[in-house]
Amino acid sequence: MTQTMRRALMTAMGAPLELGCDAIPAPERGEILIRVLACGVCHSDVHIVDGDWGRPARLPLIPGHEVVGEVVALGEGVTVPAIGETVGVAWNGGACGHCRACLEGEETICPEREGTGYSRDGGYADHIVARADFVVTLPKGIDAARFSPILCAGVTTYRGLKKAAVRPGGYVAVIGCGGLGQMAVQYARAMGLRPIAVDLDPAKLELATRLGAVATVGSDEELPAALQAIAGENGIRAAVIVAPVAQAFEQGIAAVAPGGAVIFIALPSEQKDRISISISDLANNEKRLIGTNVGTRADLREAVDLALTAGILANVETLPLADAGIALDRLRRGGVTGRLVLTMKG
Ligand code: ZN
Ligand code: ZN
C-alpha cells in the first residue's frame, strides 16, 4: 500500500477543488479503510462546494458520497466487512444509534447523523475511511462506476417511492431527469409502477424512455394538465421532484390525484427554498407531502438488492479524479445526460 493518497480537496466555500496528496488516514475503532474504485458526482456536491448550504461542518473537506471500493484495512474491533470485500459508502455516514429517531429506524433524521463528503471526508480520493457499520457490502466484480450512483441517487429515489406507497401499476411523475431522475424511472419500473418522465432536455427524455418511462413531457408545457391527460382516470399517484426548482414542487402538488403523494427530494439553493401551497387543495384532496433525506441503512440494503435483482445501473460517463473540478463545472452548467463518475485507476 502506498503511504499517500490522491484527493480533490475543498478548502473554502466557492473555491476550486485543490488536487494533491495526503497521508492515507488510519481507520480508528469501528472504522475501515477502503481503496476507492469509483465515486459518483452528485449535484449535492456542487451545493456543498459552492457554499449553498453554508459552511460544512468539516473544512478542508474531501467531497463525494457515491463510493464503491475495496476494504484494505480494519480498525480496532471490526469483524465485518472483511479485507478484500467490495463495499459501498453512501451519504449516511453515521448516526448515534440511541436517540429516538435511531430507535424508531429513522437514522436519516438523527441529530448526530454524519454525512459522507460533508461532515466526514468523502470519495473524491483514492482512499476513504468509513464507519464499518454504515457501509453496504456489494458483490465482487461489480461494475463500480455504473453502480456507484445507486449509493445516493438510487437509494434516495427508492426511499421516496417506498414512502409514497403507490399501488402496483400507478402512474408516477418523475420531474427532472438528471442523475436522480434516471434512477427514479428505473426504480419505479422495478417496483411495478408506471413512470412518466418530465424534463426540458429532449436527450434526457430519450434516455428516460430507454430506461422504462412509459411517457414523457417537456416541462415547458402546461405540466399538471399534460400529466393528468396521460394518466387519465387512474390519475397521477405520486410526483417525485428531483429538479431543484421551486416551481417543480408546485407543479407536482397540482398534478397529483386526490390521495396522491409529492416526494420532496431535490434541494434548491437557500435563496430559492420557498413554495406556495393551497391549503384547501391539500386538505380537501388529502394530498401527501413527503420529505425524504437519502436513506437509512435498511433503505440502502433494499435499494442495492433491488438494483442487483432488477439490473438497475446508472448511465455514466467516467472521468479521472483530476477532473473532479471539471465534473462540478459541467453540473453547474447543466445538460449532463448521464451520471458523471470519477474513477481512480493508477
Ligand atoms: Zn447525493
Ligand atoms: Zn440517533
Side-chain angles (χ1 to χ4, degrees):
M1 192 195 304
T2 54
Q3 295 305 297
T4 61
M5 67 172 196
R6 294 177 307 130
R7 86 298 187 257
L9 194 69
M10 173 187 176
T11 54
M13 292 190 290
L17 295 179
E18 194 183 276
L19 285 165
C21 288
D22 278 332
I24 293 176
E28 294 184 3
R29 187 174 179 82
E31 293 180 333
I32 55 176
L33 177 67
I34 297 159
R35 186 172 64 83
V36 177
L37 298 170
C39 181
V41 180
C42 177
H43 209 274
S44 299
D45 298 339
V46 174
H47 286 305
I48 293 166
V49 170
D50 290 351
D52 290 339
W53 299 344
R55 191 189 160 86
R58 181 186 180 89
L59 206 61
L61 168 75
I62 301 173
H65 55 267
E66 292 186 346
V67 187
V68 174
E70 210 176 84
V71 181
V72 291
L74 307 180
E76 204 187 323
V78 175
T79 52
V80 178
I83 287 177
E85 277 198 87
T86 303
V87 294
V89 188
W91 174 262
N92 180 15
C96 78
H98 53 75
C99 73
R100 193 177 176 94
C102 283
L103 293 178
E104 291 177 352
E106 301 293 349
E107 59 203 10
T108 50
I109 49 173
C110 169
E112 289 173 43
R113 65 185 180 271
E114 298 177 78
T116 305
Y118 190 50
S119 64
R120 297 181 63 96
D121 275 334
Y124 288 16
D126 54 29
H127 286 78
I128 180 177
V129 166
R131 283 176 61 172
D133 288 349
F134 282 78
V135 302
V136 63
T137 53
L138 302 173
K140 223 174 166 48
I142 200 165
D143 184 333
R146 295 198 68 193
F147 203 84
S148 66
I150 301 289
L151 280 309
C152 177
V155 64
T156 300
T157 52
Y158 167 73
R159 175 175 169 87
L161 288 164
K162 178 178 156 183
K163 289 180 90 166
V166 177
R167 290 169 201 273
Y171 282 98
V172 175
V174 176
I175 303 184
C177 289
L180 283 153
Q182 56 156 309
M183 279 291 151
V185 166
Q186 294 184 80
Y187 273 102
R189 281 304 292 252
M191 294 164 85
L193 310 175
R194 286 190 273 191
I196 303 170
V198 179
D199 204 286
L200 282 171
D201 183 343
K204 290 182 180 174
L205 292 181
E206 193 199 309
L207 174 60
T209 302
R210 275 189 276 132
L211 295 174
V214 298
T216 61
V217 182
S219 51
D220 52 345
E221 298 172 40
E222 182 34 58
L223 185 57
L227 289 169
Q228 284 157 357
I230 292 166
E233 62 182 11
N234 294 308
I236 299 291
R237 308 309 309 173
V240 181
I241 316 299
V242 280
V245 186
Q247 193 196 9
F249 293 81
E250 293 171 353
Q251 289 174 322
I253 296 168
V256 294
V262 183
I263 314 302
F264 283 50
I265 291 178
L267 299 172
S269 59
E270 258 174 20
Q271 306 79 34
K272 297 173 183 164
D273 196 35
R274 290 283 180 277
I275 58 168
S276 173
I277 294 173
S278 158
I279 295 167
S280 54
D281 177 33
L282 231 62
N284 293 335
N285 294 313
E286 299 199 339
K287 293 183 178 178
R288 296 171 291 141
L289 307 189
I290 300 177
T292 182
N293 173 18
V294 195
T296 64
R297 284 174 281 178
D299 296 322
L300 181 61
R301 184 73 261 173
E302 290 166 15
V304 164
D305 287 345
L306 189 50
L308 293 172
T309 52
I312 296 173
L313 284 172
N315 195 282
V316 302
E317 181 186 336
T318 59
L319 302 164
L321 174 62
D323 287 350
I326 292 169
L328 294 180
D329 257 346
R330 286 181 55 191
L331 287 183
R332 283 185 194 102
R333 285 201 307 271
V336 177
T337 307
R339 195 68 154 177
L340 302 178
V341 175
L342 304 174
T343 53
M344 319 298 170
K345 289 176 217 110

